[in-house]
Amino acid sequence: MFRTVLGDDNFRAGLKVYFQNRQLDGAVSDDLYAGLQAAIDGTDVLPEGYTVKQLMNSWETEPGYPVLTVRRNYDDGSVILSQERFYADKRSPNANIWYIPYSYASASKPSFDNLSHFRWLSTKAERVETDVPANEWIIFNKQQTGYYRVNYDAHNWLMIANALREDPSAIHRFNRAQLINDAFNLARANRHDMALTLDLLRYLANENEYVPWAAANGVLNYFYNKLRGTANYHDFIVYVDALIGPVFESLGDITVVPEDEALLDKYLKQLISTWACRIGYTECLRQTADALHTAVETNTPVHPDVSYVVYCYGLKGATDEEYRWLFDQMITSGNEAERSLLIDALGCAQDRSQLISLLTVAIGSNSELNSLLSGERSRIVSSIYSAGRFGVEALIEALSDPLLAQEFVGRFGQGTLNSVVSNVASRTNNDGELQQLEEFLAALGDLISPETAAAALRTVKTNSDWFTTYEGVLSTMYFSDFTN
């Protein structure tokens, strides 16, 4: 943030002064600030009376980070800016004051690439004059260079959402990601309307950049984890389909990697195809299954840029021969990153016998399994419950066997079993799954403490109670209305 505010050249010059002054000697933060100050003395980078030390100390000594609230007066064009510490789960009066660098763009002056000038908010609130017309959006924190969130009045949020639907490229991709991330987290903190947030995301049907989708991925995963296995899940899937459908269609063959494909385009393909396969797109599942089958038939690994999606979702309905081939790829690989990816993919299987066999691999020992690297056994366990409900139920079935559960504790220890119980609980979303959890806890008996069992049941209750919170009621109502 401060490198951008001071400018790259000034920042480098300040670091040079700092290193030269303190070479072969100790240093404290004030020495760095003095070097940066020396680099900008005589310039107008900072307002008169401001010093690097003042600015830095406001961020160094204050806990957390701020939210900048922008409230517009649409009659005279002025804006009231205010700051307070951002809390994710509460609103609490606080006296924190940061020196906040800010800049803004508007519909008629979308100067997102101009980061040469900043203003400063150094008080709790301030009235600022602008020339932005009442019918235009305004966006603060250009390219999200500042380490703070930004909230707006509802009307400005609506104008931003409309602008994104009309032409996403009118707003910088970093700010599109910022808007998604800020809107969601502000709504979760009861500072913004979740319905407006979900409306904002609807523009994603026309979004072809990875960075905004990466921000949206966190939002969609949040609701997926809340709604999977519930009566509201179908409505959510309809919403996701509307967002990813056009983008998925534009990808073509997701198993092919062109030589000139840009890195961020590869990431986008992985993200969109993962969601498409997760919610059951027939074409996505067909392509991944065909690619895995071809890989096994020719004994040729899939291109690493699409390997996880192909292996993970290609395993849906895979034969034991195909599953064993993928396991052998992992065992014989000398690349630790590839081994980790293959372990995660093996956990995606939807055949319970295949998953239980994989679990016994993690627990057991023989000459082949001794080739597992440090940490890979526990990664196998986490891959099974992380990939979906199929894995959770496979773990429940396997570890309900007292002998196998004892072997599990002997291999991994009590802490890992507690972690499994906790993760099973966090993925329990309905009455049927709760009954499975209760039977699992009973089968484990004395292998877990009463406190661990009680914590697991509290987690399930928290999951269930979410549906009667304001956020839960509003979100499920939004998805229902969207479907209908």
Side-chain angles (χ1 to χ4, degrees):
M1 176 174 72
F2 281 103
R3 187 186 73 179
T4 302
V5 170
L6 300 179
D8 279 344
D9 291 341
N10 290 329
F11 200 79
R12 290 193 191 96
L15 290 178
K16 185 176 180 180
V17 172
Y18 166 63
F19 289 135
Q20 288 175 340
N21 289 346
R22 307 306 302 175
Q23 61 182 330
L24 304 179
D25 201 353
V28 295
S29 57
D30 282 356
D31 296 318
L32 171 62
Y33 304 160
L36 294 173
Q37 186 67 51
I40 64 169
D41 280 342
T43 72
D44 61 354
V45 170
L46 298 181
E48 185 176 352
Y50 283 52
T51 66
V52 171
K53 179 177 171 59
Q54 279 179 299
L55 307 181
M56 293 288 198
N57 279 348
S58 76
W59 291 86
E60 178 188 15
T61 60
E62 294 287 359
Y65 60 90
V67 53
L68 179 70
T69 300
V70 179
R71 183 167 296 279
R72 299 178 62 181
N73 183 325
Y74 293 93
D75 293 327
D76 63 12
S78 65
V79 170
I80 296 178
L81 301 179
S82 61
Q83 61 163 295
E84 58 183 313
R85 182 179 174 185
F86 177 76
Y87 288 96
D89 59 354
K90 62 181 178 180
R91 298 195 67 151
S92 177
N94 58 84
N96 307 61
I97 295 180
W98 290 262
Y99 283 76
I100 299 179
Y102 68 87
S103 56
Y104 61 85
S106 63
S108 59
K109 296 180 181 178
S111 53
F112 289 100
D113 292 326
N114 183 0
L115 300 176
S116 61
H117 178 70
F118 291 85
R119 299 181 186 179
W120 294 85
L121 178 65
S122 57
T123 58
K124 290 295 284 185
E126 179 181 340
R127 184 172 180 272
V128 177
E129 300 293 338
T130 79
D131 58 357
V132 180
N135 62 346
E136 291 189 9
W137 51 260
I138 189 170
I139 292 176
F140 277 68
N141 198 9
K142 293 192 292 187
Q143 294 194 38
Q144 201 176 7
T145 55
Y147 189 66
Y148 54 88
R149 299 196 183 281
V150 184
N151 198 6
Y152 303 96
D153 56 80
H155 185 61
N156 196 64
W157 275 116
L158 286 170
M159 287 195 289
I160 290 172
N162 290 334
L164 288 172
R165 289 182 198 171
E166 291 175 7
D167 180 13
S169 66
I171 297 172
H172 196 280
R173 65 184 184 281
F174 292 165
N175 284 101
R176 301 200 298 270
Q178 172 206 18
L179 290 164
I180 292 169
N181 189 275
D182 282 354
F184 175 64
N185 284 284
L186 289 164
R188 292 223 56 219
N190 295 319
R191 294 173 176 270
H192 182 48
D193 190 327
M194 185 63 80
L196 292 180
T197 299
L198 295 171
D199 246 7
L200 178 78
L201 265 64
R202 290 174 62 180
Y203 97 90
L204 288 166
N206 297 315
E207 178 59 80
N208 293 305
E209 293 266 9
Y210 170 71
V211 175
W213 266 110
N217 187 47
V219 180
L220 298 181
N221 274 320
Y222 174 81
F223 286 110
Y224 175 85
N225 291 331
K226 294 289 187 186
L227 301 174
R228 180 214 52 80
T230 72
N232 305 102
Y233 182 62
H234 172 264
D235 296 337
F236 171 68
I237 292 306
V238 172
Y239 176 78
V240 175
D241 172 54
L243 270 51
I244 70 166
V247 187
F248 178 74
E249 289 181 9
S250 72
L251 297 177
D253 190 340
I254 62 172
T255 67
V256 173
V257 182
E259 290 186 7
D260 60 348
E261 189 172 40
L263 180 62
L264 292 182
D265 289 338
K266 294 176 182 178
Y267 288 168
L268 178 66
K269 178 189 291 184
Q270 293 168 12
L271 191 157
I272 296 298
S273 56
T274 294
W275 272 104
C277 284
R278 177 188 285 181
I279 66 173
Y281 273 31
T282 302
E283 180 61 17
C284 185
L285 295 171
R286 182 195 66 78
Q287 289 187 30
T288 54
D290 288 350
L292 175 60
H293 182 72
T294 300
V296 175
E297 287 290 304
T298 61
N299 195 29
T300 305
V302 172
H303 192 290
D305 288 338
V306 295
S307 58
Y308 178 76
V309 173
V310 168
Y311 292 147
C312 180
Y313 292 100
L315 285 177
K316 184 176 183 179
T319 65
D320 290 342
E321 176 191 2
E322 290 171 328
Y323 196 73
R324 177 68 199 198
W325 178 86
L326 192 60
F327 177 81
D328 289 341
Q329 293 293 308
M330 185 273 292
I331 287 293
T332 58
S333 174
N335 183 304
E336 190 170 347
E338 181 185 33
R339 290 171 68 94
S340 295
L341 181 146
L342 292 172
I343 287 173
D344 292 345
L346 286 164
C348 294
Q350 297 189 5
D351 183 303
R352 191 171 297 187
S353 65
Q354 292 171 353
L355 290 170
I356 293 176
S357 295
L358 183 63
L359 178 63
T360 59
V361 164
I363 298 173
S365 62
N366 58 43
S367 58
E368 178 184 54
L369 303 183
N370 287 338
S371 65
L372 290 172
L373 304 177
S374 174
E376 288 185 341
R377 292 178 186 273
S378 58
R379 190 179 187 103
I380 287 174
V381 176
S382 64
S383 76
I384 294 174
Y385 62 65
S386 296
R389 186 66 196 179
F390 287 97
V392 169
E393 294 183 358
L395 273 175
I396 290 175
E397 179 181 325
L399 295 181
S400 291
D401 179 335
L403 292 178
L404 194 59
Q406 287 281 5
E407 289 182 43
F408 184 94
V409 174
R411 166 64 72 180
F412 296 106
Q414 186 66 52
T416 302
L417 181 60
N418 291 344
S419 177
V420 168
V421 170
S422 174
N423 278 283
V424 168
S426 68
R427 291 163 173 79
T428 297
N429 283 359
N430 58 48
D431 291 340
E433 293 172 358
L434 174 58
Q435 182 178 349
Q436 287 180 314
L437 174 63
E438 290 172 338
E439 293 171 354
F440 181 43
L441 296 176
L444 290 174
D446 294 339
L447 286 177
I448 59 169
S449 67
E451 292 77 17
T452 299
L457 295 175
R458 284 197 301 271
T459 296
V460 178
K461 186 176 187 305
T462 299
N463 293 347
S464 176
D465 288 347
W466 178 81
F467 288 90
T468 57
T469 65
Y470 178 73
E471 177 184 291
V473 171
L474 183 65
S475 301
T476 53
M477 184 174 68
Y478 180 91
F479 292 132
S480 176
D481 291 345
F482 182 86
T483 301
N484 299 321

